[in-house]
Amino acid sequence: MIKNNRIDLIKGDITTLAVDAIVNAANRSLMGGGGVDGAIHDAAGHDLLTECIRLKGCDTGQAKITSGFRLRARYIIHTVGPVWKGGGNDEDNLLGSCYKTSLSIARDYKLKTIAFPNISTGVFGFPKELAAFIAVNEIKRFLKNNQLPEKVIIVTYSDENFDIYRKLLAE
Ligand code: AR6
């Protein structure tokens, strides 16, 4: 684990964390899927799908909150990252917006700890280095301007992403 003031970096399974909220890298339907989304739905149980159906989807770059159900996390903030289409389709801003809107929801719910996966870097194909650069910039900017959340945990799942973030956070 690497600690950088209010940002921690870990490698592991986000579904196991005892934090106020974990962020889900969902799709616009909010009906579940593969990757981290599938893992979160599996771990939280079927009641999560029932609550997600009531939300009637979510736009790319936006976020919606649900209970954490059977997770150790109290809440799940579902955000929809952009699908990478080459970079000319506002992908950077939309990815930044995922971090910003998720952090805003956490602040409005007065949450102290929030854990993020590496949104869009799996099935959605966003280049990993660029995604990490955007994530760290947005998180740092938000923390500078807000007292809550107190702590952001970046959860990487691969050695490759862990190394990318470790270098970025050391700068
Ligand atoms: N804990 C932490 N990170 C994980 C876990 C886990 N348990 N499982 C995977 N990752 P992806 P996306 C990492 O594909 O690119 C789904 O089908 C993974 O290694 O989950 O935003 C949705 O329903 C990668 O670095 O999300 C959408 O349709 C990161 O999580 C679509 O995929 C994100 O990979 C979203 O694609």
Side-chain angles (χ1 to χ4, degrees):
M1 190 210 271
I2 309 251
K3 287 179 181 279
N4 177 317
N5 196 9
R6 288 163 69 193
I7 304 175
D8 288 355
L9 171 65
I10 64 170
K11 202 180 113 175
D13 179 357
I14 201 168
T15 66
T16 64
L17 300 183
V19 287
D20 291 326
I22 64 167
V23 175
N24 181 16
N27 59 59
R28 287 190 298 166
S29 78
L30 297 184
M31 300 286 276
V36 72
D37 192 8
I40 289 171
H41 274 266
D42 284 351
H46 192 76
D47 289 345
L48 173 59
L49 185 60
T50 308
E51 189 171 343
C52 282
I53 289 168
R54 289 201 200 102
L55 297 177
K56 300 198 188 310
C58 180
D59 287 337
T60 303
Q62 299 300 305
K64 294 187 176 179
I65 191 167
T66 66
S67 162
F69 298 100
R70 282 158 51 186
L71 296 181
R72 294 172 75 199
R74 278 166 60 206
Y75 295 100
I76 304 165
I77 297 171
H78 306 263
T79 191
V80 183
V83 177
W84 180 259
K85 292 178 185 156
N89 289 276
D90 212 27
E91 290 97 328
D92 291 19
N93 285 328
L94 290 167
L95 183 63
S97 174
C98 288
Y99 286 91
K100 207 178 333 173
T101 53
S102 299
L103 287 163
S104 300
I105 291 173
R107 177 198 57 207
D108 295 347
Y109 274 70
K110 301 193 168 24
L111 306 186
K112 291 184 177 158
T113 52
I114 180 172
F116 281 95
N118 306 142
I119 301 162
S120 283
T121 66
V123 176
F124 281 179
F126 208 105
K128 294 184 179 67
E129 303 238 5
L130 179 58
F133 180 78
I134 291 166
V136 168
N137 273 344
E138 285 299 340
I139 292 167
K140 281 189 172 166
R141 183 183 310 159
F142 194 92
L143 293 181
K144 206 164 125 191
N145 295 320
N146 294 275
Q147 291 184 331
L148 286 175
E150 288 173 358
K151 173 79 73 186
V152 174
I153 302 154
I154 297 169
V155 185
T156 58
Y157 205 57
S158 64
D159 289 332
E160 187 189 2
N161 265 328
F162 185 83
D163 276 355
I164 289 170
Y165 276 93
R166 185 175 50 75
K167 284 179 192 145
L168 264 179
L169 289 170
E171 278 168 9

